[in-house]
Amino acid sequence: MQNDVRIFFTKTGTAKYISHLDLMRCMSRAFRRAQIPLWFTEGYNPHLFMTFARPLSLGQESLCECVDVRLTGEMTFKEMQNRLNDALVPGITVVSVAKPVHKPTEIAFADYEIRLFSETPELAFSALQSGLSKSSICVTKKAKQGRRKIDKEMDIKPNIASWQVSKTENGVMLFVRLTAGDQNNINPALLLSAVLNDANIEIDHTEILKKRVLLENGESFS
C-alpha cells in the first residue's frame, strides 16, 4: 500500500547555499538514515520518488519548502518529522508532515521578506518606492523556445500582486507578493535587479526569505 505524504521544511542559514541538486541528495540520504519506508521507482535504475514544489533559488532562504514522497509502510507523521530532523543538516528543519491537499500546479503566489542593508537607507527606500511605483518594470528573462533557451524581454509589473517598503535602522525592508505559477514564476532577485538597476545607491548585501506560498484565492498551499 502506498500513501502520498507532503513534508514541509525550512531552509535557512548556511543551508541557503545548498543547490537544489544537492538538496535532493541531502534529503535522499536523510530518508535512508531515518529508515523511513519510502517507494522507489521501478525499472533498470530505480530511484527514490521525490517531488519538490517550486525549488528555491540558490542563496535564498525559505520557511515553506516542501517535498512529496510515498510511504510503503506504517509510520506516524510525528515520527517521520522527528526522525528526519535527527538526520538532516543544520538549517533544514521539518516543520510538519501531512497528506497533500493541493497540487503543486495550484500554487499561484509567493510572499517574500527582503532585507537590503545599506549605509544610505533613505536613498535605498526612495529608490525602491520609485522603482516599484513605475507603470512598467521591464526585465530580460530566459525562456524556452523548443530545446533552446532564449532571452525574452517582459514587463513583470503585472506579476507583483502587492508590495510594501519600510525603513530599518541599517537599511530597508520589502514585503512583496509575486506570482509563482508554472508560467509566471518571478524570482525576487530579478525584481530587485530591475528596480535598482538605474539607482545610484550602494547595497551592502541582501537577504531574501520566502515566507509562504499561496493559491489563486489567497489561501495557503497545503
Side-chain angles (χ1 to χ4, degrees), residues 149-205:
K149 282 190 175 182
I150 60 171
D151 290 336
K152 181 181 178 181
E153 295 290 331
M154 64 179 293
D155 177 15
I156 61 172
K157 179 69 175 186
N159 301 97
I160 306 173
S162 63
W163 60 273
Q164 181 181 353
V165 182
S166 60
K167 301 172 189 175
T168 64
E169 184 177 346
N170 52 1
V172 180
M173 178 86 77
L174 168 64
F175 297 96
V176 64
R177 177 171 295 180
L178 301 173
T179 55
D182 283 338
Q183 303 301 318
N184 294 300
N185 186 33
I186 301 300
N187 190 323
L190 181 68
L191 171 65
L192 286 179
S193 177
V195 169
L196 298 176
N197 185 48
D198 297 327
N200 186 25
I201 58 173
E202 290 290 334
I203 300 296
D204 296 331
H205 70 280

Side-chain angles (χ1 to χ4, degrees), residues 130-141:
S130 175
L132 289 166
S133 299
K134 291 180 178 179
S135 59
S136 64
I137 302 174
C138 295
V139 301
T140 300
K141 199 168 183 245

Side-chain angles (χ1 to χ4, degrees), residues 59-121:
Q60 298 179 13
E61 297 179 290
S62 175
L63 303 179
C64 55
E65 296 305 284
C66 73
V67 57
D68 291 353
V69 294
R70 287 177 182 170
L71 274 176
T72 58
E74 294 294 327
M75 183 174 288
T76 66
F77 292 159
K78 191 62 178 177
E79 185 178 2
M80 282 187 67
Q81 180 180 353
N82 291 338
R83 286 194 181 194
L84 281 171
N85 282 332
D86 288 339
L88 283 165
V89 300
I92 299 178
T93 303
V94 175
V95 293
S96 67
V97 181
K99 293 286 292 181
V101 177
H102 305 107
K103 297 178 180 178
T105 52
E106 295 181 68
I107 294 174
F109 301 100
D111 283 347
Y112 294 93
E113 176 185 288
I114 305 173
R115 294 175 181 268
L116 293 90
F117 296 86
S118 173
E119 294 183 0
T120 55

